């Protein structure tokens, strides 16, 4: 696990891609097993001491064991729903991967299942609200929306990984890269730089090292009165937030290195020199090309 992000309805983990279905299954089953173990231990201890959560027993400290015990069991069971990114979705993914030998197909199956569960939760919460007039179950609808949206991302990632299979970074780079000094003013950049014909342009500092990536559209939005004094580096995405890759690296392995703070665009480096940039538009074009029927025209390059 690389990270754990907590929010109102639980947590989302960032993890390295498992190398096998067995590793994926073991990782996914750990959470529910831990919850069942903790909950079962607490409930068992409460039962062994003849304690309940009834009002007459609430004064005893050991009575509180029943509450975390029941909560852990409930969370463990709910996390076993076959919906990515829940543990049940990961278990479904590992099972499909083991049965078919196709990791991306397994991702897609878990994503579709997650969307179905999300729709069911939203529909069920709305039915209860309309039938009983209570808003207490709206949190289930909120959870359903989250599951549906996350599962949609899961399906798109599966499709992207399928399109990236066997593709190296050099395959997606088109034409020679155009760079720009990061000390130029915005006005001079827009007027003189040949990079204005591209959607993004890598910026270099005085020593020739990449300092950031400038979206050309962002420069064009600067007010004319500020273009003579504002430097392009003030508008750029810092290079530290961009993925870096060699031209001969597998593109799916590069994308797998993305983190919440480091992602697209990808700076392609060869011996310390920027040789290309891969943008979200480039990946979208590759995905469209992968999904297009045989003989269809290839997509236009996203860098314009």
């Amino acid at each position: 696990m690389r990270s754990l992000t907590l929010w109102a309805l639980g947590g989302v983990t960032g993890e390295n891609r498992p190398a096998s279905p067995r590793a994926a299954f073991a990782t996914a089953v750990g959470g529910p097993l831990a919850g069942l173990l903790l909950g079962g231990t607490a409930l068992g201890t409460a039962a062994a001491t003849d304690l309940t959560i009834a009002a007459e027993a609430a004064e005893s400290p050991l009575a509180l064991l029943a509450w975390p015990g029941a909560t852990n069991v409930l969370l463990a069971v709910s996390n076993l729903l076959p919906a990515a990114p829940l543990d049940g979705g990961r278990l479904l993914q590992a099972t499909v991967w083991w049965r078919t030998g196709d990791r991306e197909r397994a991702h897609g199956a878990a994503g579709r299942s997650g969307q179905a569960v999300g729709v069911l939760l939203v529909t069920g919460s709305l039915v209860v609200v309309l039938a009983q007039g209570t808003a207490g179950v709206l949190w289930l609808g909120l959870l359903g929306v989250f599951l549906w949206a996350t599962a949609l991302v899961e399906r798109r990632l599966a499709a992207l990984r399928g399109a990236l299979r066997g593709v190296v970074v050099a395959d997606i780079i088109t034409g020679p890269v155009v760079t720009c000094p990061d000390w130029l003013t915005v006005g001079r950049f827009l007027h003189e730089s040949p990079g204005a014909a591209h959607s993004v342009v890598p910026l270099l500092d005085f020593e020739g090292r990449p300092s950031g990536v400038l979206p050309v559209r962002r420069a064009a939005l600067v007010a004319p009165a500020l273009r003579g004094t504002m430097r392009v580096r003030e508008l750029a995405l810092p290079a530290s937030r961009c993925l870096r890759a060699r031209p001969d690296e597998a593109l799916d392995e590069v994308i797998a290195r993305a983190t919440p703070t480091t992602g697209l665009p990808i700076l392609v480096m060869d011996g310390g020199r920027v040789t290309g940039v891969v943008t979200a538009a480039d990946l979208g074009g590759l995905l469209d090309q992968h999904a297009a029927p045989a003989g269809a025209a290839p997509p236009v390059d996203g860098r314009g």
Side-chain angles (χ1 to χ4, degrees):
M1 295 296 176
R2 296 193 307 264
S3 63
L4 173 62
T5 303
L6 298 178
W7 69 301
L9 296 180
V12 179
T13 57
E15 59 186 74
N16 296 319
R17 298 187 75 192
S20 66
R22 177 178 295 181
F25 188 91
T27 302
V29 80
L33 283 180
L36 291 173
L37 178 62
L38 290 173
T41 301
L43 290 175
T45 303
T49 52
D50 293 326
L51 294 175
T52 67
I53 56 175
E56 60 269 20
E59 296 179 359
S60 171
L62 288 179
L64 297 178
L65 286 173
W67 290 104
T71 301
N72 273 282
V73 171
L74 176 63
L75 288 176
V77 172
S78 62
N79 269 312
L80 287 174
L81 288 173
L86 299 180
D87 294 319
R90 301 302 182 203
L91 291 173
L92 173 63
Q93 176 183 317
T95 302
V96 175
W97 184 8
W98 173 69
R99 293 291 300 272
T100 65
D102 190 331
R103 183 203 296 260
E104 313 317 332
R105 181 178 176 183
H107 273 282
R112 289 190 296 273
S113 178
Q115 286 186 289
V117 171
V119 170
L120 287 176
L121 287 176
V122 172
T123 303
S125 65
L126 290 177
V127 168
V128 173
V129 169
L130 294 176
Q132 300 182 3
T134 176
V137 296
L138 284 179
W139 69 272
L140 281 177
L142 179 61
L143 178 60
V145 171
F146 168 74
L147 285 178
W148 184 90
T150 307
L152 178 61
V153 173
E154 196 85 11
R155 291 185 63 183
R156 290 178 175 175
L157 283 175
L160 179 60
R161 291 187 181 114
L164 297 182
R165 189 178 300 168
V167 178
V168 297
V169 174
D171 294 336
I172 200 173
I173 301 175
T174 57
V177 66
V178 175
T179 60
C180 172
D182 65 1
W183 62 87
L184 287 187
T185 62
V186 173
R188 185 176 173 187
F189 169 79
L190 293 175
H191 184 260
E192 301 178 4
S193 175
H198 293 66
S199 63
V200 296
V201 175
L203 302 182
L204 305 180
D205 61 16
F206 283 104
E207 298 181 3
R209 297 174 302 189
S211 61
V213 176
L214 174 67
V216 176
R217 182 180 299 177
R218 187 179 298 178
L221 292 176
V222 174
L226 300 176
R227 293 178 180 179
T229 56
M230 182 176 290
R231 307 292 175 179
V232 289
R233 60 172 169 259
E234 299 177 48
L235 303 173
L237 179 71
S240 59
R241 294 184 56 187
C242 300
L243 286 169
R244 299 196 182 195
R246 300 187 311 275
D248 59 347
E249 277 193 273
L251 195 53
D252 59 344
E253 295 180 0
V254 177
I255 298 297
R257 296 204 302 266
T259 68
T261 58
T262 305
L264 296 174
I266 301 172
L267 284 173
V268 184
M269 308 287 296
D270 189 6
R273 182 173 59 90
V274 178
T275 60
V277 180
V278 177
T279 67
D282 296 323
L283 295 180
L286 182 64
L287 183 58
D288 292 340
Q289 186 177 6
H290 178 77
V300 179
D301 174 54
R303 288 189 293 273

